[in-house]
Amino acid sequence: MDLPTSAAPDGVDRPSVELTLDALDSPIAVLDGDGTIVSVNDAWDAAARSGGAPAAKTSVGVNYLTICDTAVGPGSQEAPLVAAGIREVLSGEREWFALDYPCPSPSASRWFTVRVSSLGVDQAGAVVIHHDITALRLAEVQARADDSRLRRAFDETSPVFVLLEPDGTIATIAERTCALLGLERSEVVGRNGFDFIEPADLDRGQHALASVLTVAGSRTRVECRVLDGSGRRRVMDLSVVNMLDEPGVRAVAVTGSDVTDTRLHQIADRLERRLLQQLPAAVVAVDDHGGIVYWNQRAEVLLQVRRQEALGRRLLEIGVGARDPQVFDEIAGIARAVGRWEGSLDVFLRDSTFVPLHTVVERVDDDESGFHGVVTASIDVSERRMLEHELAFQALHDPLTGLPNRRRFVERLEESLTSGTSRAAVAFIDLDDFKELNDRVGHLSGDQALREIADRLAMVLRSEDVVARFGGDEFVVGMSRVVDAADALAVAGRILHAVRQPLDIDGTTVHLSATIGVALAQRDLGAEVLIRNADAAMYEAKERGKDRIALFDDGLQERRKERRASAERLRAAVRAGHIHAYFQPQRCLRTGRLIGFEALARWEGDEPEFQRTAHFLAAAEEGGVVSEIDRLVLEETCATLARFQQERPDLGCTISTNVSAELLADPAFPTFVDRVLQRTGVPPSLLCIEVVESALADPDAVAENLGRLERAGVEVAIDDFGTGYSSLSRIQQFHVDYLKIDRSFVAALGTDREQHAVVGAIIGLGHALGLRTIAEGVETEDQVRLLRRLGVDIGQGFLWSPAVPPDAALAMVREAPPAGLGDPESADGAGYVDC
């Protein structure tokens, strides 16, 4: 189509029609006979930008019919009608077309009318004009509101009276309703009514409106919470009636009353029958939406907030909180998952002071009263807290049993060895099959069993001996004044006999056994070497069938020489640069897309024995090169991440790398990580540090380093979760992002119901704590389906790929689809944490 042009100031010819259209305020576009935009005015471009559309998708050269056919978002329901009208005008079936349509927005809904006119018989095409008619629509609504019959209804009806447009826009509202909510009419009229509904009740309210719109005169009732002007949640019992066909109304009428106090009283009455009002504990009930529904007299005194101020609000809204703002949500999540939480909290009051509390949180689901949430009972432990003594004790003792920890035990053993007054010995004790006991009776009962074993060990030892817990199910005994090997073995025999005695755990009889390795002190052997000798003897006994005692002897010494030879070869390989990082891919089980890798150390040589992970780790530990290998792998990991970022920055691919307990406890480790990240230019959020559960057994040794890594933005995963031992309270002391499910659990899925239940419990715990879960050792599609059904987020294993060199991993990254695209076949997303 030929259009007249006019020279623009910049020397570029522009159609004179376009220059004329620019003088008009309404968005205008000229279409050719195919519907392609040949000219637009400034108002059209401005409207496109304010709506968030790229200029290239709405400007000259784009087919407007295609824009209408593929429209999404506000106004998209009317877009097909507009496209059909334009086609009729372009084909000559009609000379013009008009349609009014709403355009909802977060602040206030607006109305527009679109007018399409033919260019005439001489030129194929059409002119499209959009007019803003919001003011006209509001005037029509207000005119209906001014109808005398409607005004009388306002005066005679219930405290809540609102008229809604079919899209939920508030056409008018009664003064009594505004007063009830503490709002002005100007703050309400023209906004969408659903803006005032508690988000958790939004679906219920939208469903109620949709259900009456289908038939004129139909009605329904709904109960939902509405936010008033002060932010308080009010429970409303509402009636919704379709009056769109009634002259003088032509809207959806919402009437009802405020039943907040009634609902709160109903809940309080039921709770008071279960809890004594005069308990010496502060009792508070909080529903699943965070609202306080019960607050007893002791809570008023202890937390310095009156009951009337607390009910209907959140804890933070009344000035009650914790040092970590998310701790309340985390505790509620744990209670929801396991039914109960107990521990200590430092709670701040609104005068900025802190009160130390011992709190028990119980999960309550009472369908009769409609209460679903948690009930907490807290007592003030200020007078019993001796902070300095407690910190000193925890630094040197196991928090579960109260026994000395590894650090304290080594200190005392060194003192005994250097005194030279008598011969010493060490017994290393490992409880047999304790993991299976934990799986059978649960971790709480497992904790009870460990405490009972600790008490028994203390009872059978001599006064000069010392027993410590190293973590998990490992105990170590240091013996002083040992005459010979027989003397040390006699002490070990008493220990073995004590462990074998039946345990009564919550009414269940439990039988345990132990495997013990004994090592005698020798000249010039330090405490750590003596402990390692006893540990080696214990493993020797395990190989012979458990429930027995082994003495570190010359034969064992010879086998240790062989292991030392392997360790020396490995040390040489490290020095020669033969140890490198290989990368096993990790995929989102929900979408199938590649999201990251795990870095694994591999010896690129002809030593087949070292291709076995267990032998490699044993040699590394024996050779004392675990930390050195970990540093090497971490450096290569960051270098590979830098290549990933250079090739595919859109993918955000992560790599996790294992770190030993020894390296994690090194004060210089966070500085090392920071230097590597700075040198390679890798964002810290793409690096994940994996630690085994036993590394957390002595929290004070790693808390500072993990805290520094967290503050730097590095993520943390607990590796092989469930195979070691970590109490829930200990895990909560650290910032953790992932729980990795050990391959032994994955291999048993579908064949072992107990293992299946364990995996489900780990996933539930992880998601309750807001953690992502990773399944290792995935080898079959059946395992993938089971893991998806259980809600596991991420998988890795031979099903997709073994660990591969960096170049092969980079090829996977290059070929990966963009973030957001993946395998369309996925499980139900319920319970997943976003990959």
Side-chain angles (χ1 to χ4, degrees), residues 529-720:
V529 175
L530 186 55
I531 293 170
R532 282 205 300 271
N533 288 347
D535 188 24
M538 183 273 293
Y539 276 106
E540 181 79 4
K542 286 273 190 187
E543 293 175 1
R544 284 186 275 161
K546 304 179 184 180
D547 191 24
R548 62 189 65 231
I549 303 169
L551 181 67
F552 187 85
D553 58 13
D554 293 340
L556 184 58
Q557 186 70 27
E558 189 61 34
R559 289 188 291 276
R560 288 207 63 189
K561 287 182 180 179
E562 295 177 2
R563 286 197 290 270
R564 283 197 293 270
S566 296
E568 182 55 39
R569 293 200 302 275
L570 182 57
R571 280 197 297 270
V574 172
R575 290 192 295 268
H578 294 160
I579 306 300
H580 295 286
Y582 275 44
F583 303 93
Q584 186 172 41
Q586 297 173 333
R587 293 189 175 271
C588 176
L589 292 184
R590 184 156 46 89
T591 64
R593 73 180 180 92
L594 177 70
I595 63 170
F597 294 81
E598 180 184 4
L600 299 168
R602 290 292 184 265
W603 186 344
E604 294 182 342
D606 55 354
E607 301 274 354
E609 65 198 41
F610 289 101
Q611 301 305 314
R612 299 194 305 272
T613 301
H615 190 92
F616 186 96
L617 291 177
E621 290 176 355
E622 182 71 22
V625 292
V626 173
S627 295
E628 188 174 351
I629 292 174
D630 285 349
R631 290 191 183 93
L632 184 153
V633 171
L634 193 146
E635 290 184 324
E636 292 192 3
T637 291
C638 291
T640 303
L641 274 171
R643 297 177 66 188
F644 288 176
Q645 281 294 95
Q646 184 178 5
E647 291 283 340
R648 289 294 301 277
D650 62 303
L651 205 57
C653 210
T654 63
I655 301 183
S656 60
T657 180
N658 294 278
V659 173
S660 66
E662 176 186 357
L663 183 58
L664 188 63
D666 184 352
F669 177 63
T671 302
F672 169 76
V673 174
D674 183 64
R675 288 175 179 170
V676 174
L677 290 172
Q678 290 187 20
R679 185 171 66 249
T680 57
V682 172
S685 60
L686 298 183
L687 177 65
C688 179
I689 299 299
E690 291 191 12
V691 299
V692 294
E693 289 182 87
S694 59
L696 308 181
D698 189 0
D700 292 309
V702 299
E704 174 64 23
N705 282 354
L706 284 180
R708 290 171 61 187
L709 291 172
E710 174 196 353
R711 291 189 292 273
V714 177
E715 295 192 317
V716 177
I718 297 182
D719 194 15
D720 299 335

Side-chain angles (χ1 to χ4, degrees), residues 329-592:
D329 290 338
E330 293 173 356
I331 290 173
I334 296 169
R336 187 181 299 112
V338 301
R340 189 176 190 272
W341 180 90
E342 181 175 356
S344 296
L345 283 174
D346 282 343
V347 174
F348 67 75
L349 309 180
R350 53 187 173 187
D351 62 0
S352 299
T353 61
F354 277 83
V355 55
L357 301 177
H358 183 81
T359 302
V360 176
V361 181
E362 292 282 352
R363 175 71 187 175
V364 176
D365 289 287
D366 191 335
D367 292 332
E368 185 175 349
S369 68
F371 176 76
H372 297 275
V374 295
V375 177
T376 70
S378 304
I379 59 173
D380 185 352
V381 294
S382 299
E383 296 179 359
R384 292 181 292 164
R385 176 172 289 186
M386 295 177 290
L387 184 58
E388 293 183 0
H389 172 76
E390 184 67 21
L391 289 176
F393 183 86
Q394 290 180 1
L396 298 172
H397 292 78
D398 170 51
L400 178 65
T401 62
L403 295 177
N405 59 18
R406 183 186 188 105
R407 190 169 81 182
R408 179 57 177 155
F409 180 83
V410 171
E411 289 176 356
R412 294 189 60 176
L413 184 58
E414 287 285 7
E415 292 171 2
S416 178
L417 292 174
T418 56
S419 66
T421 56
S422 62
R423 194 173 188 184
V426 169
F428 200 105
I429 306 157
D430 184 83
L431 301 180
D432 297 328
D433 303 318
F434 188 77
K435 175 184 172 299
E436 287 73 12
L437 172 67
N438 251 344
D439 294 342
R440 188 170 69 253
V441 303
H443 284 289
L444 291 178
S445 296
D447 287 353
Q448 184 179 342
L450 289 171
R451 287 191 290 266
E452 177 67 25
I453 292 296
D455 291 342
R456 290 186 181 183
L457 294 179
M459 291 176 62
V460 300
L461 295 178
R462 302 167 302 179
S463 59
E464 62 268 24
D465 298 335
V466 59
V467 58
R469 177 170 176 255
F470 275 17
D473 55 359
E474 295 178 344
F475 296 85
V476 181
V477 172
M479 294 171 267
S480 300
R481 294 191 294 131
V482 174
V483 177
D484 52 21
D487 195 12
L489 291 174
V491 175
R494 292 200 301 272
I495 293 173
L496 195 62
H497 178 74
V499 173
R500 287 171 177 167
Q501 302 308 304
L503 291 170
D504 183 2
I505 305 298
D506 295 329
T508 301
T509 300
V510 173
H511 295 273
L512 285 174
S513 62
T515 302
I516 304 175
V518 177
L520 296 175
Q522 301 178 35
R523 185 181 300 275
D524 299 329
L525 285 185
E528 289 289 357
V529 175
L530 186 55
I531 293 170
R532 282 205 300 271
N533 288 347
D535 188 24
M538 183 273 293
Y539 276 106
E540 181 79 4
K542 286 273 190 187
E543 293 175 1
R544 284 186 275 161
K546 304 179 184 180
D547 191 24
R548 62 189 65 231
I549 303 169
L551 181 67
F552 187 85
D553 58 13
D554 293 340
L556 184 58
Q557 186 70 27
E558 189 61 34
R559 289 188 291 276
R560 288 207 63 189
K561 287 182 180 179
E562 295 177 2
R563 286 197 290 270
R564 283 197 293 270
S566 296
E568 182 55 39
R569 293 200 302 275
L570 182 57
R571 280 197 297 270
V574 172
R575 290 192 295 268
H578 294 160
I579 306 300
H580 295 286
Y582 275 44
F583 303 93
Q584 186 172 41
Q586 297 173 333
R587 293 189 175 271
C588 176
L589 292 184
R590 184 156 46 89
T591 64

